[in-house]
Amino acid sequence: MDIANNCRVCNNKIEPFMTFGNMPIANGFLKEEAFKDEYFFEMKPSFCNKCFAFQLIEQPDAELMFNESYPFFSSLSKHMQTHFDNFANSVINRFLKSKDSPMAIELGSNDGIMLRHFKDAEIKHLGIEPSQNVAQIAKEKGINTISEFFNEELAVKVLEEYGHADVMFAANVMCHIPNINSVFAGISNLLSKDGVLIFEDPYLGDMLNKVSYDQIYDEHVYIFSALSVISICERHDLELIDVEPQVTHGGSMRYFIGKKGSHEISNNVSKIIMNEEKKGFKEISTYERFRDNCEKSKKELLELLTKIKDENKRVVGYGATSKSTTVLNYSEIGPDLIDFISDTTPLKQNKFSPGAHIPVKSYENFSQNPPDYALLFAWNHKKEIFEKETEFEKNGGKWITFVPRVEIL
Ligand code: TYD
Ligand code: ZN
């Protein structure tokens, strides 16, 4: 357990502005015999008024979260495939096309969903992926991968072996790393003079707007804003040169970062700073308002599910997401209110959801015996899911969502 009484970025004294109560490992789907040893930590977010980093105070050790049974495979969703295909191609076209024998490094390369494009284009590449099971899949596809945690020390070794990187990139990885200063120091050392770091993560602005508090779980030690990313860059002789909003993960931001003074800075940077300041991202009252909205959302969801249960109707969860662990445990929703959660990931099936212990079953259990209501835990894939679930609705099935508000659709 890593507990921060001071800001993880700038060492300023920080305090939580709310608690979500005791939380298990969000991706820790488990068998019944493991219930008695289940790990919990208190999930308390805080906001640093000096560097503006939104962060968790308590953070379980990385090995508890990213291990050989980490059930996250990027390549499972069709829309995410397309998103990463486009991301990879845009990096190649914007930053590497004009270079002689460029070098690309991805942090948290998962099963190689992005790096396969670099391999196909015969670009020198390296994937750094701590979860061994997914790293193995990438290796089997011929993608150059090492299974380690990236930090300042590893960067020195990588630099010796591969030389400077022209691009480094990461998707849904940076916000997982408690010691972000070590990672940025490593990146600053590894990048070539005009090299670029591109990373994307769930965006604080979307979370505050949509009250999507389920973005907060053990793995997401930070929820970044442009303001907080700028503060990190400043500590490592780097600067934010561009930003691009993304629709993935319910609203993300892609940050482009270069060495200080080596790139032209897009107008998008001053625009996003102005917007974040206007929306109060630097003020604690904004986060206190978010806390009140979370409490309201929790109460409404619990009331709705209780009412449906009283009518003897069946509810099934759709998608055993990491995010659902926060919703279920914070809102105290258990198997009394939800029959089971349907999920297409074999590693999650025939196990129980972390903490709440709701059974997770294969998709066939949903499609062959549809419930009255499907609670959309995978709301970030709403478009893809609604496209394929027209039958469910035609047969009278209804969707329940809680983002951006609790409602029956
Ligand atoms: P994901 O989007 O990665 O969310 P999180 O980061 O919160 O875990 O997870 C989506 C989960 O939903 C994943 O376990 C697969 C599952 N899923 C389905 O069962 N059916 C679907 O149609 C889709 C798109 C996802
Ligand atoms: Zn700080």
Side-chain angles (χ1 to χ4, degrees):
M1 171 75 71
D2 172 14
I3 300 180
N5 295 311
N6 295 328
C7 171
R8 294 167 187 278
V9 177
C10 76
N11 215 30
N12 182 33
K13 181 105 191 89
I14 50 169
E15 307 250 348
F17 60 83
M18 71 178 292
T19 179
F20 285 95
N22 281 341
M23 285 285 157
I25 299 296
N27 262 310
F29 295 89
L30 70 178
K31 297 265 191 198
E32 199 167 349
E33 47 286 11
F35 287 177
K36 61 181 190 328
D37 297 321
E38 198 171 10
Y39 178 93
F40 289 88
F41 71 103
E42 191 183 353
M43 196 165 83
K44 294 175 288 196
S46 106
F47 155 74
C48 173
N49 61 11
K50 214 165 128 204
C51 76
F52 318 120
F54 183 106
Q55 60 202 285
L56 289 183
I57 302 248
E58 291 187 14
Q59 168 81 354
D61 292 332
E63 292 73 22
L64 284 171
M65 299 181 282
F66 309 110
N67 47 42
E68 67 294 345
S69 57
Y70 188 55
F72 188 84
F73 297 89
S74 295
S75 300
L76 285 177
S77 148
K78 256 197 353 244
H79 282 212
M80 288 308 281
Q81 280 270 13
T82 312
H83 173 79
F84 287 126
D85 292 349
N86 293 339
F87 189 0
N89 289 324
S90 80
V91 170
I92 293 173
N93 291 330
R94 185 165 166 188
F95 299 108
L96 299 181
K97 268 264 162 75
S98 58
K99 295 231 148 84
D100 291 336
S101 70
M103 167 70 187
I105 296 178
E106 182 175 3
L107 305 182
S109 45
N110 202 272
D111 54 11
I113 188 167
M114 276 224 271
L115 274 182
R116 67 193 173 91
H117 294 281
F118 292 74
K119 179 189 158 258
D120 292 347
E122 295 181 3
I123 293 170
K124 199 167 130 195
H125 63 271
L126 173 67
I128 303 177
E129 171 51 63
S131 293
Q132 287 192 15
N133 57 340
V134 282
Q136 189 54 33
I137 294 174
K139 285 184 203 167
E140 282 161 16
K141 291 183 199 155
I143 295 157
N144 189 28
T145 308
I146 54 173
S147 191
E148 292 199 55
F149 285 99
F150 181 80
N151 55 25
E152 204 173 348
E153 292 80 56
L154 187 69
V156 174
K157 286 193 212 150
V158 171
L159 184 61
E160 272 169 18
E161 194 166 333
Y162 293 87
H164 287 286
D166 298 289
V167 291
M168 293 185 70
F169 53 93
N172 307 308
V173 168
M174 232 37 120
C175 71
H176 291 158
I177 305 174
N179 193 352
I180 197 78
N181 281 315
S182 170
V183 166
F184 267 66
I187 290 169
S188 191
N189 187 19
L190 252 179
L191 277 183
S192 64
K193 227 170 55 226
D194 61 348
V196 182
L197 161 71
I198 308 134
F199 77 92
E200 63 184 38
D201 277 305
Y203 179 53
L204 182 74
D206 287 290
M207 186 183 83
L208 297 178
N209 236 346
K210 297 175 188 164
V211 197
S212 45
Y213 65 85
D214 56 348
Q215 288 295 0
I216 307 171
Y217 53 90
D218 54 2
E219 295 173 24
H220 289 175
V221 63
Y222 301 104
I223 307 286
F224 292 122
S225 58
L227 288 168
S228 61
V229 168
I230 289 170
S231 301
I232 303 169
C233 288
E234 278 169 356
R235 307 175 74 83
H236 300 282
D237 213 27
L238 297 167
E239 70 187 349
L240 185 63
I241 57 175
D242 202 358
V243 288
E244 256 177 26
Q246 306 293 322
V247 296
T248 44
H249 284 289
S252 297
M253 191 60 69
R254 185 176 294 170
Y255 305 94
F256 298 78
I257 289 159
K259 295 221 161 150
K260 211 170 217 147
S262 63
H263 293 266
E264 212 172 294
I265 297 181
S266 152
N267 288 340
N268 295 333
V269 174
S270 53
K271 278 193 210 147
I272 198 168
I273 294 174
M274 250 167 41
N275 187 39
E276 292 186 355
E277 285 177 345
K278 200 175 89 200
K279 293 205 166 122
F281 287 19
K282 287 181 171 176
E283 280 125 54
I284 184 70
S285 57
T286 303
Y287 304 93
E288 288 166 350
R289 216 164 31 246
F290 170 71
R291 174 197 62 205
D292 297 346
N293 290 336
C294 291
E295 281 163 11
K296 181 166 169 270
S297 173
K298 159 186 172 157
K299 192 167 156 263
E300 287 179 4
L301 183 60
L302 193 57
E303 278 171 9
L304 178 62
L305 294 177
T306 308
K307 182 170 155 267
I308 290 172
K309 188 75 198 179
D310 289 346
E311 292 165 359
N312 283 322
K313 298 271 168 59
R314 275 178 72 226
V315 181
V316 166
Y318 198 103
T321 55
S322 337
K323 296 186 289 292
S324 69
T325 297
T326 296
V327 178
L328 293 168
N329 288 280
Y330 173 55
S331 307
E332 295 174 61
I333 297 167
D336 52 327
L337 295 176
I338 296 179
D339 275 21
F340 65 90
I341 305 173
S342 158
D343 198 285
T344 49
T345 317
L347 257 174
K348 297 181 184 177
Q349 294 162 1
N350 304 317
K351 290 188 181 157
F352 292 85
S353 74
H357 300 163
I358 298 170
V360 179
K361 297 190 180 171
S362 70
Y363 175 66
E364 288 63 42
N365 288 276
F366 174 87
S367 56
Q368 285 165 13
N369 183 15
D372 302 297
Y373 293 91
L375 175 51
L376 188 58
F377 286 128
W379 57 268
N380 49 314
H381 301 286
K382 186 165 157 187
K383 193 158 175 275
E384 177 170 352
I385 291 170
F386 281 18
E387 272 163 21
K388 67 182 171 200
E389 294 298 353
T390 48
E391 275 300 296
F392 171 65
E393 283 183 67
K394 253 195 236 143
N395 295 330
K398 290 199 169 67
W399 291 98
I400 301 172
T401 188
F402 45 89
V403 173
R405 67 192 75 79
V406 174
E407 62 185 332
I408 296 172
L409 298 177

